[in-house]
Amino acid sequence: RKAVRVCWRERRVISRGFGGNFNSKRFISSTESFTITMSEGLKEEVEGVLESLKIAQDRIKALEQEKGTKVRLVAVSKVKPLYLIEAVFKEGHHKTFGENYVQELLEKSAELQKKQNASEFNDLEFHFIGHLQSNKCRQLVSVPHLTVIETVDNIRLANALQKEMDKQYSGDSSKKMGVFVQVNTSGEDSKSGVSIYDEGRKCNGVIELVKHIRTNCPRLNWQGLMTIGAYGGDASPDFEKLLQVRSVLSSQINIPESEIELSMGMSSDYETAIQLGSTNVRLGSTIFGGRPPKSEVAKPKHILLYKDPNSLN
């Protein structure tokens, strides 16, 4: 068996006969579909991911006990194949996953819906954790397994999400979408998020956006604040800034700090984030291993699939 990079849009995983024995996988190309027996390399990949998941879960549990808090683990599965999501959900008994790209999330969710055993995935939840543009809201809110959008950073985007939720779920008045407000605590221009300082007033932009969501967007269930620590350095100052933002916000909207979630911490800094008060961590490489460079997964996106080498041109 041979591992090759293939375009997500040209060869899509249509089904995964996934069971405890890791016995088979099905693939499709533009002209044929076929089933192959899982190679030893693929089996080792799945087992390695499950082992990494268990290690992360155990470490988070220990930190929870130490801090006396509850922390949600979001397994970031962007540009990773569907069979790894299935493995983590079924064999790892973990239900919350994070995705960064709207199109990839749409395709993965659609494939889950097509499965004969689709009902087995009813409890699976996706968090969208990538940058979101208003023109993508219609597609995003249509995803059946999407429960939370962690990157709302302006009023226009909040309004667009509210409008689409109203339109697509007009027959279900109880349907809501969980959201976090993203805050740019590091001040890096390359990052999205509401600035901490706006017109000289600390947290003014964050306060305005949160108040707007709570007052004018009944379809959005505001849950808390999200940030990304500084790249390649100590993220502690950024996490501490988010704590300060929460404190100011709490006094402005009369909600206890304990009721405002903090989504902060990724693979390189999640332990520090939890120690500082994070309630939601986003782990990708810690669980699924490394990813291709960003330049290789942008238009067209690539994922790692295993194909019978005899079928390759």
Side-chain angles (χ1 to χ4, degrees), residues 87-304:
V88 169
F89 179 78
K90 285 187 170 184
E91 309 298 323
H93 308 292
H94 182 79
K95 72 175 186 177
T96 308
F97 298 85
E99 291 287 341
N100 289 60
Y101 307 115
V102 173
Q103 186 60 36
E104 183 180 350
L105 175 55
L106 283 167
E107 293 184 7
K108 285 179 174 177
S109 181
E111 297 305 338
L112 287 173
Q113 295 297 307
K114 292 177 184 177
K115 290 180 174 294
Q116 291 182 345
N117 61 339
S119 62
E120 295 181 14
F121 298 96
N122 286 346
D123 292 335
L124 188 149
E125 299 177 352
F126 281 118
H127 283 210
F128 185 77
I129 60 174
H131 177 63
L132 179 61
Q133 297 177 319
S134 298
N135 61 359
K136 296 290 185 180
C137 290
R138 178 183 60 80
Q139 294 175 298
L140 186 60
V141 303
S142 70
V143 176
H145 293 282
L146 183 69
T147 59
V148 177
I149 299 171
E150 295 198 21
T151 51
V152 177
D153 61 1
N154 61 76
I155 288 176
R156 180 184 177 187
L157 180 58
N159 288 342
L161 288 169
Q162 168 65 26
K163 178 181 178 180
E164 287 301 329
M165 288 294 295
D166 258 343
K167 184 184 298 183
Q168 296 188 36
Y169 300 100
S170 58
D172 183 1
S173 60
S174 65
K175 179 71 173 180
K176 293 188 177 184
M177 180 68 68
V179 297
F180 283 73
V181 165
Q182 182 175 0
V183 182
N184 187 343
T185 52
S186 65
E188 296 170 275
D189 293 336
S190 60
K191 290 180 181 174
S192 301
V194 186
S195 173
I196 293 180
Y197 293 96
D198 182 25
E199 298 179 355
R201 294 181 58 189
K202 188 174 183 180
C203 307
N204 186 52
V206 178
I207 294 168
E208 181 183 10
L209 178 53
V210 171
K211 284 184 175 180
H212 178 84
I213 292 172
R214 298 183 72 230
T215 302
N216 301 296
C217 303
R219 289 283 191 172
L220 306 184
N221 177 29
W222 177 69
Q223 296 180 206
L225 306 172
M226 176 270 210
T227 197
I228 301 172
Y231 294 129
D234 181 10
S236 298
D238 301 314
F239 298 155
E240 290 168 350
K241 288 177 185 176
L242 195 66
L243 290 171
Q244 295 170 10
V245 173
R246 181 175 67 172
S247 178
V248 173
L249 181 62
S250 171
S251 64
Q252 289 291 318
I253 63 176
N254 297 314
I255 290 181
E257 290 185 29
S258 60
E259 295 182 13
I260 301 175
E261 286 198 51
L262 296 179
S263 175
M264 58 186 194
M266 299 189 292
S267 289
S268 62
D269 50 31
Y270 76 93
E271 294 188 35
T272 299
I274 293 174
Q275 289 169 343
L276 288 173
S278 177
T279 59
N280 188 88
V281 293
R282 312 176 301 272
L283 305 189
S285 59
T286 291
I287 297 171
F288 293 103
R291 297 183 178 85
K294 186 175 182 180
S295 60
E296 292 186 19
V297 297
K299 294 185 180 180
K301 302 175 183 65
H302 291 72
I303 59 171
L304 191 63

Side-chain angles (χ1 to χ4, degrees), residues 26-38:
R26 176 166 295 186
F27 300 86
I28 189 168
S29 69
S30 58
T31 59
E32 63 178 344
S33 63
F34 52 92
T35 302
I36 63 173
T37 301
M38 180 184 282

